[in-house]
Amino acid sequence: MALRRLQRLAVAPLSFTGGATTQVLREMSTLPRVYVTRQIPPEGLRILRDSRQVQFELWDSDDVPVPRKELLQNVKGVDGLLCVLTEKIDAELLDAAGPNLKVLSTMSVGFDHLSLEELKKRGIRVGYTPEVLTDAVAELTVALLLATSRRLIEATHEAKTGGWGTWRTLWLCGYELANSTVGILGLGRIGVAIAERLAPFKVKKFIYTDVAPRPELAKAINAEYVSLDELAKQSDFLSVCCALTPETNEICNKDLFAKMKNTSIFINTSRGGVVNQEDLYEALSTGQIAGAGLDVTVPEPLPTSHPLFTLKNCVILPHIASASYSTRNAMSALAVNNLLLGLRGQPMIKELKL
Ligand SMILES: O=CC(=O)O
């Protein structure tokens, strides 16, 4: 099938003169081998091609992830691996790759798909792509928040399907940011960038919680550190920005939703795993909270039959927070540069400390 074909790409254009071709092939065989699990955006691909540092094979599709069985086969003996967040990098995969594998580079800021313990045990260095996506994610979070709180999806649906009768005094009313309290669960670069964008909407107060206060970051947005309980109680808008870890797994559950105001809006652009989705469904369908905007779910894609899709007060996006052309190209370039630096034994631009 054309889409699923595996491409073997030379590090330099192959010459058609016999001698030169042989030379390139010989050169190829001594260069480090890299496997790329997805057709990555052009900027990264160009850097990889032009580097002449590696020979690489690529799963030549962006529509269908490489099937696990093929992935296990294709990584055999590689020195470097470039993956995206759909690939689970665990002991089985690392064993399949074997001892040559020295560098893993993920084109994502999140790394919950990587078994860090297994990577560390094998001395494999890990690159990831923070910072380059902060603006795009913050922008999308604001868009999702407004779409949810001002009921934009419901409103366009009504307009298109004949629900638009006379102008009505309380029809499709939502909640506004002016004079509100915005809570951030997990304050990092993205949380700060979201708050910076929301401040001009005349937010009254920013509050946040995290494992510990982060005064340097909080100062930039004049945010107050509070407990998780207080965050739930005080927030008119609660935006989840934390990484998915064993500590944050399903941290947004019925206990949290029960403490929230029935006028509050819940937004998640981090990872679906931080939310207990049954509890969220209950909170939304019983009016315990006013609405939810989710860019991430468990599983992804969320089956179209999922109960959350039946709720008018739940806006669900298909994990697109970083999806702008410039950001995805920047992520692919950073992922490739991390990989190439790692394979040269140099510090990566963005390397995870294991
Ligand atoms: O979710 C997106 C990422 O981790 O980059």
Side-chain angles (χ1 to χ4, degrees), residues 56-87:
F56 69 97
E57 285 178 5
L58 156 93
W59 179 252
D60 192 20
S61 170
D62 195 21
D63 299 327
V64 187
V66 53
R68 180 77 179 177
K69 212 168 135 207
E70 257 177 90
L71 178 63
L72 294 177
Q73 192 61 36
N74 295 340
V75 296
K76 276 198 170 68
V78 297
D79 304 273
L81 182 59
L82 196 154
C83 72
V84 295
L85 52 78
T86 49
E87 274 74 62

PDB file of all heavy atoms in Angstrom, residues 56-87:
ATOM      1  N   PHE A  56      18.991   6.901   6.905  1.00  0.00           N
ATOM      2  CA  PHE A  56      17.752   6.727   7.657  1.00  0.00           C
ATOM      3  C   PHE A  56      16.643   6.083   6.844  1.00  0.00           C
ATOM      4  O   PHE A  56      16.593   6.196   5.627  1.00  0.00           O
ATOM      5  CB  PHE A  56      17.276   8.057   8.242  1.00  0.00           C
ATOM      6  CG  PHE A  56      16.798   9.072   7.251  1.00  0.00           C
ATOM      7  CD1 PHE A  56      15.441   9.220   6.986  1.00  0.00           C
ATOM      8  CD2 PHE A  56      17.692   9.898   6.595  1.00  0.00           C
ATOM      9  CE1 PHE A  56      14.982  10.183   6.096  1.00  0.00           C
ATOM     10  CE2 PHE A  56      17.250  10.857   5.691  1.00  0.00           C
ATOM     11  CZ  PHE A  56      15.901  11.000   5.447  1.00  0.00           C
ATOM     12  N   GLU A  57      15.808   5.397   7.603  1.00  0.00           N
ATOM     13  CA  GLU A  57      14.585   4.846   7.047  1.00  0.00           C
ATOM     14  C   GLU A  57      13.431   5.539   7.739  1.00  0.00           C
ATOM     15  O   GLU A  57      13.534   5.905   8.904  1.00  0.00           O
ATOM     16  CB  GLU A  57      14.515   3.344   7.291  1.00  0.00           C
ATOM     17  CG  GLU A  57      15.425   2.571   6.383  1.00  0.00           C
ATOM     18  CD  GLU A  57      15.380   1.079   6.657  1.00  0.00           C
ATOM     19  OE1 GLU A  57      14.565   0.663   7.502  1.00  0.00           O
ATOM     20  OE2 GLU A  57      16.160   0.360   6.034  1.00  0.00           O
ATOM     21  N   LEU A  58      12.339   5.685   6.986  1.00  0.00           N
ATOM     22  CA  LEU A  58      11.228   6.483   7.492  1.00  0.00           C
ATOM     23  C   LEU A  58       9.918   5.768   7.202  1.00  0.00           C
ATOM     24  O   LEU A  58       9.761   5.207   6.122  1.00  0.00           O
ATOM     25  CB  LEU A  58      11.305   7.831   6.767  1.00  0.00           C
ATOM     26  CG  LEU A  58      10.099   8.714   6.595  1.00  0.00           C
ATOM     27  CD1 LEU A  58      10.062   9.703   7.745  1.00  0.00           C
ATOM     28  CD2 LEU A  58      10.209   9.483   5.298  1.00  0.00           C
ATOM     29  N   TRP A  59       9.027   5.767   8.181  1.00  0.00           N
ATOM     30  CA  TRP A  59       7.665   5.281   7.935  1.00  0.00           C
ATOM     31  C   TRP A  59       6.962   6.376   7.159  1.00  0.00           C
ATOM     32  O   TRP A  59       6.646   7.428   7.697  1.00  0.00           O
ATOM     33  CB  TRP A  59       6.951   4.988   9.248  1.00  0.00           C
ATOM     34  CG  TRP A  59       5.552   4.523   9.035  1.00  0.00           C
ATOM     35  CD1 TRP A  59       4.421   5.223   9.296  1.00  0.00           C
ATOM     36  CD2 TRP A  59       5.147   3.264   8.518  1.00  0.00           C
ATOM     37  NE1 TRP A  59       3.329   4.483   8.956  1.00  0.00           N
ATOM     38  CE2 TRP A  59       3.735   3.270   8.475  1.00  0.00           C
ATOM     39  CE3 TRP A  59       5.821   2.121   8.072  1.00  0.00           C
ATOM     40  CZ2 TRP A  59       2.993   2.197   8.014  1.00  0.00           C
ATOM     41  CZ3 TRP A  59       5.083   1.046   7.613  1.00  0.00           C
ATOM     42  CH2 TRP A  59       3.693   1.084   7.595  1.00  0.00           C
ATOM     43  N   ASP A  60       6.721   6.138   5.881  1.00  0.00           N
ATOM     44  CA  ASP A  60       6.347   7.215   4.984  1.00  0.00           C
ATOM     45  C   ASP A  60       4.844   7.474   4.962  1.00  0.00           C
ATOM     46  O   ASP A  60       4.199   7.413   3.930  1.00  0.00           O
ATOM     47  CB  ASP A  60       6.854   6.900   3.580  1.00  0.00           C
ATOM     48  CG  ASP A  60       6.749   8.100   2.667  1.00  0.00           C
ATOM     49  OD1 ASP A  60       6.660   9.229   3.188  1.00  0.00           O
ATOM     50  OD2 ASP A  60       6.729   7.921   1.431  1.00  0.00           O
ATOM     51  N   SER A  61       4.298   7.775   6.127  1.00  0.00           N
ATOM     52  CA  SER A  61       2.881   8.144   6.197  1.00  0.00           C
ATOM     53  C   SER A  61       2.683   9.027   7.414  1.00  0.00           C
ATOM     54  O   SER A  61       3.346   8.852   8.440  1.00  0.00           O
ATOM     55  CB  SER A  61       2.015   6.890   6.331  1.00  0.00           C
ATOM     56  OG  SER A  61       0.691   7.278   6.634  1.00  0.00           O
ATOM     57  N   ASP A  62       1.763   9.983   7.276  1.00  0.00           N
ATOM     58  CA  ASP A  62       1.373  10.757   8.445  1.00  0.00           C
ATOM     59  C   ASP A  62      -0.038  10.359   8.875  1.00  0.00           C
ATOM     60  O   ASP A  62      -0.526  10.796   9.899  1.00  0.00           O
ATOM     61  CB  ASP A  62       1.424  12.255   8.104  1.00  0.00           C
ATOM     62  CG  ASP A  62       1.387  13.131   9.359  1.00  0.00           C
ATOM     63  OD1 ASP A  62       1.726  12.614  10.448  1.00  0.00           O
ATOM     64  OD2 ASP A  62       1.006  14.296   9.265  1.00  0.00           O
ATOM     65  N   ASP A  63      -0.687   9.529   8.068  1.00  0.00           N
ATOM     66  CA  ASP A  63      -2.085   9.190   8.318  1.00  0.00           C
ATOM     67  C   ASP A  63      -2.250   7.900   9.113  1.00  0.00           C
ATOM     68  O   ASP A  63      -3.212   7.722   9.837  1.00  0.00           O
ATOM     69  CB  ASP A  63      -2.841   9.030   6.990  1.00  0.00           C
ATOM     70  CG  ASP A  63      -2.826  10.329   6.201  1.00  0.00           C
ATOM     71  OD1 ASP A  63      -2.846  11.397   6.845  1.00  0.00           O
ATOM     72  OD2 ASP A  63      -2.768  10.281   4.964  1.00  0.00           O
ATOM     73  N   VAL A  64      -1.299   7.025   8.942  1.00  0.00           N
ATOM     74  CA  VAL A  64      -1.373   5.722   9.606  1.00  0.00           C
ATOM     75  C   VAL A  64      -0.084   5.530  10.396  1.00  0.00           C
ATOM     76  O   VAL A  64       1.000   5.558   9.813  1.00  0.00           O
ATOM     77  CB  VAL A  64      -1.464   4.581   8.555  1.00  0.00           C
ATOM     78  CG1 VAL A  64      -1.722   3.250   9.233  1.00  0.00           C
ATOM     79  CG2 VAL A  64      -2.510   4.888   7.512  1.00  0.00           C
ATOM     80  N   PRO A  65      -0.165   5.363  11.716  1.00  0.00           N
ATOM     81  CA  PRO A  65       1.075   5.118  12.464  1.00  0.00           C
ATOM     82  C   PRO A  65       1.665   3.771  12.080  1.00  0.00           C
ATOM     83  O   PRO A  65       0.937   2.871  11.652  1.00  0.00           O
ATOM     84  CB  PRO A  65       0.641   5.112  13.932  1.00  0.00           C
ATOM     85  CG  PRO A  65      -0.802   5.437  13.958  1.00  0.00           C
ATOM     86  CD  PRO A  65      -1.350   5.355  12.565  1.00  0.00           C
ATOM     87  N   VAL A  66       2.961   3.646  12.219  1.00  0.00           N
ATOM     88  CA  VAL A  66       3.595   2.369  11.907  1.00  0.00           C
ATOM     89  C   VAL A  66       3.035   1.294  12.854  1.00  0.00           C
ATOM     90  O   VAL A  66       3.009   1.482  14.069  1.00  0.00           O
ATOM     91  CB  VAL A  66       5.147   2.491  12.015  1.00  0.00           C
ATOM     92  CG1 VAL A  66       5.607   3.048  13.328  1.00  0.00           C
ATOM     93  CG2 VAL A  66       5.816   1.144  11.743  1.00  0.00           C
ATOM     94  N   PRO A  67       2.537   0.174  12.288  1.00  0.00           N
ATOM     95  CA  PRO A  67       2.033  -0.892  13.170  1.00  0.00           C
ATOM     96  C   PRO A  67       3.150  -1.413  14.073  1.00  0.00           C
ATOM     97  O   PRO A  67       4.310  -1.484  13.660  1.00  0.00           O
ATOM     98  CB  PRO A  67       1.576  -1.984  12.193  1.00  0.00           C
ATOM     99  CG  PRO A  67       1.397  -1.278  10.888  1.00  0.00           C
ATOM    100  CD  PRO A  67       2.390  -0.169  10.867  1.00  0.00           C
ATOM    101  N   ARG A  68       2.767  -1.735  15.282  1.00  0.00           N
ATOM    102  CA  ARG A  68       3.760  -2.130  16.300  1.00  0.00           C
ATOM    103  C   ARG A  68       4.692  -3.240  15.795  1.00  0.00           C
ATOM    104  O   ARG A  68       5.900  -3.180  15.986  1.00  0.00           O
ATOM    105  CB  ARG A  68       2.994  -2.591  17.546  1.00  0.00           C
ATOM    106  CG  ARG A  68       3.855  -3.032  18.702  1.00  0.00           C
ATOM    107  CD  ARG A  68       4.432  -1.869  19.436  1.00  0.00           C
ATOM    108  NE  ARG A  68       5.236  -2.316  20.572  1.00  0.00           N
ATOM    109  CZ  ARG A  68       5.903  -1.505  21.357  1.00  0.00           C
ATOM    110  NH1 ARG A  68       5.891  -0.199  21.163  1.00  0.00           N
ATOM    111  NH2 ARG A  68       6.622  -1.973  22.354  1.00  0.00           N
ATOM    112  N   LYS A  69       4.092  -4.227  15.123  1.00  0.00           N
ATOM    113  CA  LYS A  69       4.889  -5.366  14.672  1.00  0.00           C
ATOM    114  C   LYS A  69       5.980  -4.893  13.700  1.00  0.00           C
ATOM    115  O   LYS A  69       7.135  -5.322  13.779  1.00  0.00           O
ATOM    116  CB  LYS A  69       3.972  -6.380  13.969  1.00  0.00           C
ATOM    117  CG  LYS A  69       4.423  -7.796  14.142  1.00  0.00           C
ATOM    118  CD  LYS A  69       3.363  -8.753  13.691  1.00  0.00           C
ATOM    119  CE  LYS A  69       4.048  -9.822  12.853  1.00  0.00           C
ATOM    120  NZ  LYS A  69       3.189 -10.429  11.880  1.00  0.00           N
ATOM    121  N   GLU A  70       5.583  -4.000  12.818  1.00  0.00           N
ATOM    122  CA  GLU A  70       6.555  -3.481  11.853  1.00  0.00           C
ATOM    123  C   GLU A  70       7.589  -2.597  12.521  1.00  0.00           C
ATOM    124  O   GLU A  70       8.764  -2.606  12.175  1.00  0.00           O
ATOM    125  CB  GLU A  70       5.829  -2.705  10.758  1.00  0.00           C
ATOM    126  CG  GLU A  70       5.728  -3.524   9.500  1.00  0.00           C
ATOM    127  CD  GLU A  70       4.962  -2.838   8.425  1.00  0.00           C
ATOM    128  OE1 GLU A  70       5.582  -2.110   7.640  1.00  0.00           O
ATOM    129  OE2 GLU A  70       3.734  -3.071   8.382  1.00  0.00           O
ATOM    130  N   LEU A  71       7.131  -1.833  13.503  1.00  0.00           N
ATOM    131  CA  LEU A  71       8.048  -0.963  14.239  1.00  0.00           C
ATOM    132  C   LEU A  71       9.139  -1.811  14.906  1.00  0.00           C
ATOM    133  O   LEU A  71      10.340  -1.516  14.798  1.00  0.00           O
ATOM    134  CB  LEU A  71       7.263  -0.159  15.284  1.00  0.00           C
ATOM    135  CG  LEU A  71       8.074   0.768  16.182  1.00  0.00           C
ATOM    136  CD1 LEU A  71       8.764   1.853  15.374  1.00  0.00           C
ATOM    137  CD2 LEU A  71       7.172   1.409  17.247  1.00  0.00           C
ATOM    138  N   LEU A  72       8.709  -2.885  15.554  1.00  0.00           N
ATOM    139  CA  LEU A  72       9.673  -3.749  16.251  1.00  0.00           C
ATOM    140  C   LEU A  72      10.687  -4.324  15.262  1.00  0.00           C
ATOM    141  O   LEU A  72      11.864  -4.488  15.581  1.00  0.00           O
ATOM    142  CB  LEU A  72       8.942  -4.886  16.977  1.00  0.00           C
ATOM    143  CG  LEU A  72       8.037  -4.451  18.141  1.00  0.00           C
ATOM    144  CD1 LEU A  72       7.297  -5.639  18.738  1.00  0.00           C
ATOM    145  CD2 LEU A  72       8.823  -3.724  19.223  1.00  0.00           C
ATOM    146  N   GLN A  73      10.224  -4.615  14.068  1.00  0.00           N
ATOM    147  CA  GLN A  73      11.095  -5.149  13.028  1.00  0.00           C
ATOM    148  C   GLN A  73      12.050  -4.062  12.501  1.00  0.00           C
ATOM    149  O   GLN A  73      13.251  -4.265  12.376  1.00  0.00           O
ATOM    150  CB  GLN A  73      10.178  -5.654  11.883  1.00  0.00           C
ATOM    151  CG  GLN A  73      10.856  -6.499  10.849  1.00  0.00           C
ATOM    152  CD  GLN A  73      11.450  -7.764  11.464  1.00  0.00           C
ATOM    153  OE1 GLN A  73      10.868  -8.346  12.384  1.00  0.00           O
ATOM    154  NE2 GLN A  73      12.621  -8.150  10.978  1.00  0.00           N
ATOM    155  N   ASN A  74      11.472  -2.865  12.268  1.00  0.00           N
ATOM    156  CA  ASN A  74      12.236  -1.794  11.613  1.00  0.00           C
ATOM    157  C   ASN A  74      13.307  -1.149  12.487  1.00  0.00           C
ATOM    158  O   ASN A  74      14.223  -0.508  11.983  1.00  0.00           O
ATOM    159  CB  ASN A  74      11.285  -0.705  11.091  1.00  0.00           C
ATOM    160  CG  ASN A  74      10.374  -1.213   9.987  1.00  0.00           C
ATOM    161  OD1 ASN A  74      10.670  -2.229   9.357  1.00  0.00           O
ATOM    162  ND2 ASN A  74       9.264  -0.543   9.767  1.00  0.00           N
ATOM    163  N   VAL A  75      13.166  -1.269  13.794  1.00  0.00           N
ATOM    164  CA  VAL A  75      14.159  -0.625  14.672  1.00  0.00           C
ATOM    165  C   VAL A  75      15.384  -1.513  14.928  1.00  0.00           C
ATOM    166  O   VAL A  75      16.354  -1.048  15.541  1.00  0.00           O
ATOM    167  CB  VAL A  75      13.552  -0.208  16.041  1.00  0.00           C
ATOM    168  CG1 VAL A  75      12.490   0.848  15.857  1.00  0.00           C
ATOM    169  CG2 VAL A  75      13.032  -1.409  16.816  1.00  0.00           C
ATOM    170  N   LYS A  76      15.339  -2.733  14.451  1.00  0.00           N
ATOM    171  CA  LYS A  76      16.443  -3.677  14.717  1.00  0.00           C
ATOM    172  C   LYS A  76      17.794  -3.080  14.319  1.00  0.00           C
ATOM    173  O   LYS A  76      18.005  -2.713  13.164  1.00  0.00           O
ATOM    174  CB  LYS A  76      16.223  -4.967  13.938  1.00  0.00           C
ATOM    175  CG  LYS A  76      15.327  -5.923  14.641  1.00  0.00           C
ATOM    176  CD  LYS A  76      15.484  -7.350  14.071  1.00  0.00           C
ATOM    177  CE  LYS A  76      14.781  -8.357  14.924  1.00  0.00           C
ATOM    178  NZ  LYS A  76      13.344  -8.283  14.946  1.00  0.00           N
ATOM    179  N   GLY A  77      18.673  -2.951  15.283  1.00  0.00           N
ATOM    180  CA  GLY A  77      20.049  -2.553  14.991  1.00  0.00           C
ATOM    181  C   GLY A  77      20.276  -1.071  14.768  1.00  0.00           C
ATOM    182  O   GLY A  77      21.386  -0.659  14.447  1.00  0.00           O
ATOM    183  N   VAL A  78      19.246  -0.218  14.940  1.00  0.00           N
ATOM    184  CA  VAL A  78      19.452   1.206  14.656  1.00  0.00           C
ATOM    185  C   VAL A  78      20.274   1.874  15.764  1.00  0.00           C
ATOM    186  O   VAL A  78      20.309   1.437  16.909  1.00  0.00           O
ATOM    187  CB  VAL A  78      18.123   1.982  14.463  1.00  0.00           C
ATOM    188  CG1 VAL A  78      17.361   1.466  13.262  1.00  0.00           C
ATOM    189  CG2 VAL A  78      17.264   1.955  15.724  1.00  0.00           C
ATOM    190  N   ASP A  79      20.949   2.961  15.367  1.00  0.00           N
ATOM    191  CA  ASP A  79      21.733   3.740  16.329  1.00  0.00           C
ATOM    192  C   ASP A  79      20.891   4.874  16.929  1.00  0.00           C
ATOM    193  O   ASP A  79      21.135   5.330  18.032  1.00  0.00           O
ATOM    194  CB  ASP A  79      22.945   4.370  15.627  1.00  0.00           C
ATOM    195  CG  ASP A  79      23.807   3.333  14.946  1.00  0.00           C
ATOM    196  OD1 ASP A  79      24.681   2.783  15.631  1.00  0.00           O
ATOM    197  OD2 ASP A  79      23.587   3.046  13.748  1.00  0.00           O
ATOM    198  N   GLY A  80      19.932   5.349  16.126  1.00  0.00           N
ATOM    199  CA  GLY A  80      19.093   6.450  16.580  1.00  0.00           C
ATOM    200  C   GLY A  80      17.658   6.227  16.172  1.00  0.00           C
ATOM    201  O   GLY A  80      17.384   5.571  15.160  1.00  0.00           O
ATOM    202  N   LEU A  81      16.754   6.771  16.990  1.00  0.00           N
ATOM    203  CA  LEU A  81      15.330   6.601  16.717  1.00  0.00           C
ATOM    204  C   LEU A  81      14.652   7.948  16.902  1.00  0.00           C
ATOM    205  O   LEU A  81      14.871   8.627  17.906  1.00  0.00           O
ATOM    206  CB  LEU A  81      14.768   5.580  17.714  1.00  0.00           C
ATOM    207  CG  LEU A  81      13.310   5.195  17.619  1.00  0.00           C
ATOM    208  CD1 LEU A  81      12.973   4.608  16.259  1.00  0.00           C
ATOM    209  CD2 LEU A  81      12.985   4.162  18.718  1.00  0.00           C
ATOM    210  N   LEU A  82      13.869   8.355  15.908  1.00  0.00           N
ATOM    211  CA  LEU A  82      13.074   9.577  16.034  1.00  0.00           C
ATOM    212  C   LEU A  82      11.614   9.167  16.021  1.00  0.00           C
ATOM    213  O   LEU A  82      11.156   8.527  15.068  1.00  0.00           O
ATOM    214  CB  LEU A  82      13.392  10.544  14.896  1.00  0.00           C
ATOM    215  CG  LEU A  82      12.927  11.991  15.113  1.00  0.00           C
ATOM    216  CD1 LEU A  82      13.799  12.956  14.318  1.00  0.00           C
ATOM    217  CD2 LEU A  82      11.475  12.200  14.769  1.00  0.00           C
ATOM    218  N   CYS A  83      10.900   9.512  17.099  1.00  0.00           N
ATOM    219  CA  CYS A  83       9.513   9.055  17.201  1.00  0.00           C
ATOM    220  C   CYS A  83       8.568  10.218  17.468  1.00  0.00           C
ATOM    221  O   CYS A  83       9.007  11.338  17.728  1.00  0.00           O
ATOM    222  CB  CYS A  83       9.376   8.003  18.308  1.00  0.00           C
ATOM    223  SG  CYS A  83       9.524   8.675  19.970  1.00  0.00           S
ATOM    224  N   VAL A  84       7.271   9.934  17.406  1.00  0.00           N
ATOM    225  CA  VAL A  84       6.260  10.892  17.818  1.00  0.00           C
ATOM    226  C   VAL A  84       5.490  10.273  18.982  1.00  0.00           C
ATOM    227  O   VAL A  84       5.811   9.160  19.420  1.00  0.00           O
ATOM    228  CB  VAL A  84       5.321  11.267  16.646  1.00  0.00           C
ATOM    229  CG1 VAL A  84       6.071  11.992  15.557  1.00  0.00           C
ATOM    230  CG2 VAL A  84       4.603  10.042  16.088  1.00  0.00           C
ATOM    231  N   LEU A  85       4.481  11.012  19.487  1.00  0.00           N
ATOM    232  CA  LEU A  85       3.876  10.559  20.748  1.00  0.00           C
ATOM    233  C   LEU A  85       2.987   9.334  20.635  1.00  0.00           C
ATOM    234  O   LEU A  85       2.530   8.802  21.647  1.00  0.00           O
ATOM    235  CB  LEU A  85       3.121  11.725  21.402  1.00  0.00           C
ATOM    236  CG  LEU A  85       2.093  12.503  20.580  1.00  0.00           C
ATOM    237  CD1 LEU A  85       0.794  11.771  20.436  1.00  0.00           C
ATOM    238  CD2 LEU A  85       1.893  13.881  21.185  1.00  0.00           C
ATOM    239  N   THR A  86       2.736   8.849  19.412  1.00  0.00           N
ATOM    240  CA  THR A  86       1.901   7.648  19.287  1.00  0.00           C
ATOM    241  C   THR A  86       2.692   6.351  19.497  1.00  0.00           C
ATOM    242  O   THR A  86       2.101   5.287  19.598  1.00  0.00           O
ATOM    243  CB  THR A  86       1.231   7.607  17.897  1.00  0.00           C
ATOM    244  OG1 THR A  86       2.228   7.843  16.902  1.00  0.00           O
ATOM    245  CG2 THR A  86       0.140   8.649  17.784  1.00  0.00           C
ATOM    246  N   GLU A  87       4.005   6.456  19.537  1.00  0.00           N
ATOM    247  CA  GLU A  87       4.803   5.238  19.715  1.00  0.00           C
ATOM    248  C   GLU A  87       5.174   5.026  21.183  1.00  0.00           C
ATOM    249  O   GLU A  87       5.735   5.922  21.809  1.00  0.00           O
ATOM    250  CB  GLU A  87       6.094   5.303  18.881  1.00  0.00           C
ATOM    251  CG  GLU A  87       5.907   4.831  17.474  1.00  0.00           C
ATOM    252  CD  GLU A  87       5.160   5.831  16.621  1.00  0.00           C
ATOM    253  OE1 GLU A  87       5.680   6.946  16.452  1.00  0.00           O
ATOM    254  OE2 GLU A  87       4.058   5.512  16.144  1.00  0.00           O
TER     255      GLU A  87
END
